Amino acid sequence: MAHSGINVLFEGRNLIRLFGGLWTTVEIAAVALVLGLILGVILGVLRTFPNRLLRLVLRLYLEFFRIVPTVVLLFLFYYILPKQLGVNMPANQVATLVFALWTAAEMSDIVRGALISVPKHQRESGMAIGLNRLQLYRYVLIPQAVSLELPATINLVTRVIKTTSLLMLISVMDVINVGQQVVEANNQKYPTGVFWVYGIIFVMYFAIDYPLSWWAKRMDKKRLERANG
Amino acid sequence: MAKQVIKVEHLEKYYQKDHILHDINFSIDQGEVVALLGPSGSGKSTLIRCLNGLEPYQNGTVTFNGDQVVPTEKNWQKLRQKIGMVFQSYDLFPNLTVLDNILLGPVKVQKQSRETAKAAAEKLLDQVGLREYENVYPRQLSGGQKQRIAIVRALALNPELMLFDEVTASLDPEMVRGVLNIISKLAQDSDMTMIVVTHEMNFAQQIADRVLFLEDGKILEQTKGDQFFKQPQTDRAKEFLESMDF
């Protein structure tokens, strides 16, 4: 077993480097998600306001980020920001920005959907006790929307984490990029190394995403039980 | 002469091209209980919703306590503390306990201290016999209990006028009486000014000082309560009462 492929992981600092790459991935995803979810909630609330122009602008924003593939978005920001706008950001920050804006767009749709599915009578009951618009959202609509939107939000989170695998295309040293380098550097000595490296990357992504999607499923089930119980 | 609480003059309401309310005129004095009767689709609910700004109207004026309402959202929002409304679909906020449902208005809108508001709320809960439910969530209550809480929630703001929009229409028959009793008691004991939309003729007869009979968005007659049920002035109202097995 001297040349068993699995040893590629224990060669030199390979494993530590892979975890380092994973950390970069998680960091970008986490910052982008926090910013994106907050911005998305605000945009989602604004999209339920009666102002048409505001709604149109936000709708266009959503459609742009939803229709344009994430890879294209990454390239657009990575190449256009410095060239046309003179903004020079490290690749990690560009990635965080793109993912945050994308998350915000998707989240705004989730929040809007949840808010408009709170029954109209709830809104009127709130108005009838003299709540102003801010109070109506704060105490009545948003708390009820949260339980409706939580599963969809968690699914969005898992999608964002998964999609970070595209980051290597703008040379972010994420876990995939590091894995690629490890594979190439050890190709001679470990011809089957590629299997093990991508195998462990699979395990890493799975370990992060699976609990989230399990949680989402469980919450949805609970919500349905509550609604029907 | 009693103080005039609300006065409606030449009110017109359209939904796009449909003319929903035609030249509505009436006024209500303090302590008076007015029942708004009429067949389904006659515009009763729409009219009552115009009186606290939930429905916009295109023409005419509403005067509350002597001041003509300038119908902006902001003005209505302030007035709604004085004009309580209870709906058919007892909509308590499911994310809040019974007590927090009741306190939301007094504490957040009227900026009362929680202690003061809580004491008042508990007194009201006692009156409707639901004090022991103050910490439960609405989903644990029956329809009748929810509706009683909804009435308390509206009363907690100390309104000067109460609007009841078919509050028993979606309740189980056995729950109806309890809710109606509370409204009757409110009329007698606290001399509350009220407009009641209902299909319960016995209740209307028992409670109404005056009846406004609506059809097709027009007020066909305004008659004193006891008289309306014995001797309605219009044939249409007579027909209506007969069809209600009254």
Side-chain angles (χ1 to χ4, degrees):
Chain A
M1 293 286 281
H3 282 278
S4 169
I6 195 171
N7 284 327
V8 70
L9 302 175
F10 307 110
E11 189 84 18
R13 293 169 33 84
N14 284 355
L15 197 58
I16 293 166
R17 287 188 58 209
L18 281 169
F19 272 104
L22 182 68
W23 177 245
T24 306
T25 300
V26 168
E27 213 178 8
I28 290 172
V31 175
L33 280 169
V34 170
L35 296 177
L37 293 179
I38 293 170
L39 183 63
V41 170
I42 297 168
L43 297 183
V45 168
L46 292 177
R47 284 188 61 205
T48 63
F49 281 17
N51 187 324
R52 284 193 170 192
L53 181 68
L54 181 72
R55 281 192 341 228
L56 178 73
V57 170
L58 294 176
R59 179 77 198 273
L60 288 175
Y61 169 75
L62 163 73
E63 296 298 347
F64 176 76
F65 276 90
R66 186 147 63 186
I67 292 168
V68 178
T70 319
V71 190
V72 179
L73 285 175
L74 284 170
F75 282 143
L76 275 178
F77 278 73
Y78 189 60
Y79 291 113
I80 287 179
L81 276 186
K83 255 204 181 132
Q84 258 65 31
L85 301 172
V87 184
N88 259 309
M89 288 163 93
N92 285 21
Q93 286 180 23
V94 173
T96 311
L97 179 68
V98 169
F99 275 67
L101 292 176
W102 172 48
T103 308
E106 296 274 1
M107 187 63 185
S108 79
D109 215 33
I110 294 173
V111 170
R112 186 193 72 99
L115 283 173
I116 59 174
S117 50
V118 174
K120 174 169 156 263
H121 294 129
Q122 287 288 324
R123 180 185 285 267
E124 288 185 345
S125 294
M127 286 164 74
I129 56 168
L131 298 178
N132 63 31
R133 188 148 77 174
L134 195 70
Q135 291 168 330
L136 188 64
Y137 275 90
R138 163 83 179 74
Y139 299 110
V140 178
L141 301 179
I142 292 178
Q144 292 183 51
V146 164
S147 74
L148 292 171
E149 77 197 14
L150 218 46
T153 307
I154 298 169
N155 282 332
L156 174 63
V157 169
T158 60
R159 261 169 65 210
V160 169
I161 292 173
K162 249 184 357 195
T163 314
T164 53
S165 54
L166 298 175
L167 293 181
M168 66 172 294
L169 295 172
I170 58 166
S171 20
V172 173
M173 288 304 288
D174 75 323
V175 67
I176 309 268
N177 212 347
V178 173
Q180 194 75 32
Q181 289 182 354
V182 169
V183 168
E184 279 161 20
N186 297 279
N187 213 6
Q188 291 288 326
K189 202 168 163 194
Y190 298 102
T192 57
V194 61
F195 169 76
W196 292 101
V197 169
Y198 280 106
I200 195 156
I201 291 173
F202 163 79
V203 172
M204 284 166 166
Y205 270 105
F206 186 81
I208 296 172
D209 266 352
Y210 184 72
L212 287 172
S213 85
W214 176 82
W215 187 34
K217 212 181 240 168
R218 204 183 70 133
M219 226 156 15
D220 213 23
K221 200 172 142 221
K222 271 199 169 161
R223 188 179 59 80
L224 285 176
E225 278 170 6
R226 252 208 324 266
N228 298 328
Chain B
M1 205 182 102
K3 191 182 98 177
Q4 195 176 67
V5 176
I6 195 162
K7 184 163 85 178
V8 176
E9 288 171 295
H10 305 300
L11 191 87
E12 307 270 351
K13 158 95 191 158
Y14 299 83
Y15 277 123
Q16 272 98 42
K17 285 205 175 114
D18 292 334
H19 202 164
I20 306 293
L21 296 173
H22 299 257
D23 194 25
I24 302 290
N25 294 284
F26 65 91
S27 66
I28 299 178
D29 290 340
Q30 190 167 30
E32 207 180 357
V33 177
V34 170
L36 212 51
L37 306 181
S40 298
S42 58
K44 309 181 295 284
S45 288
T46 309
L47 173 55
I48 204 175
R49 287 160 58 85
C50 283
L51 301 183
N52 76 346
L54 286 179
E55 293 283 348
Y57 45 88
Q58 280 69 38
N59 251 318
T61 57
V62 174
T63 306
F64 184 75
N65 274 345
D67 296 319
Q68 187 178 321
V69 180
V70 180
T72 62
E73 187 48 39
K74 192 135 197 86
N75 286 336
W76 278 121
Q77 186 220 319
K78 283 202 190 103
L79 276 175
R80 287 186 193 122
Q81 298 168 43
K82 303 213 170 103
I83 307 177
M85 180 153 184
V86 184
F87 302 86
Q88 175 179 344
S89 50
Y90 39 91
D91 280 288
L92 299 182
F93 308 126
N95 52 314
L96 299 175
T97 62
V98 164
L99 189 62
D100 286 332
N101 260 280
I102 299 167
L103 293 186
L104 192 56
V107 174
K108 299 298 174 189
V109 178
Q110 297 183 328
K111 313 289 178 203
Q112 295 180 27
S113 79
R114 197 178 158 85
E115 289 68 41
T116 322
K118 190 174 172 207
E122 285 174 341
K123 217 171 121 194
L124 287 168
L125 280 171
D126 266 333
Q127 286 170 20
V128 301
L130 291 172
R131 170 76 181 271
E132 68 268 35
Y133 291 96
E134 66 175 43
N135 290 317
V136 310
Y137 282 89
R139 63 173 175 276
Q140 294 159 273
L141 300 174
S142 72
Q145 290 171 327
K146 282 184 204 167
Q147 193 57 294
R148 282 188 267 168
I149 300 293
I151 293 171
V152 168
R153 182 173 68 182
L155 290 175
L157 291 160
N158 272 317
E160 295 170 36
L161 169 67
M162 281 291 287
L163 311 173
F164 292 96
D165 187 6
E166 300 197 34
V167 291
T168 57
S170 52
L171 293 179
D172 289 341
E174 54 183 326
M175 306 286 184
V176 169
R177 174 158 307 202
V179 171
L180 295 183
N181 282 345
I182 287 167
I183 300 174
S184 308
K185 236 171 78 186
L186 192 64
Q188 286 155 13
D189 301 352
S190 31
D191 207 25
M192 178 67 77
T193 314
M194 307 198 276
I195 303 178
V196 183
V197 174
T198 184
H199 285 120
E200 303 278 337
M201 289 304 132
N202 287 311
F203 169 65
Q205 183 184 31
Q206 172 202 330
I207 194 175
D209 297 319
R210 185 150 49 106
V211 173
L212 298 191
F213 182 73
L214 246 77
E215 185 176 50
D216 293 334
K218 300 182 190 98
I219 296 183
L220 289 193
E221 65 170 281
Q222 297 198 37
T223 315
K224 283 216 170 304
D226 38 10
Q227 203 189 333
F228 179 84
F229 291 96
K230 280 184 223 131
Q231 232 179 9
Q233 291 166 0
T234 54
D235 289 344
R236 183 63 189 97
K238 201 178 284 172
E239 211 176 282
F240 172 76
L241 285 175
E242 277 162 10
S243 75
M244 300 297 281
D245 282 328
F246 184 78

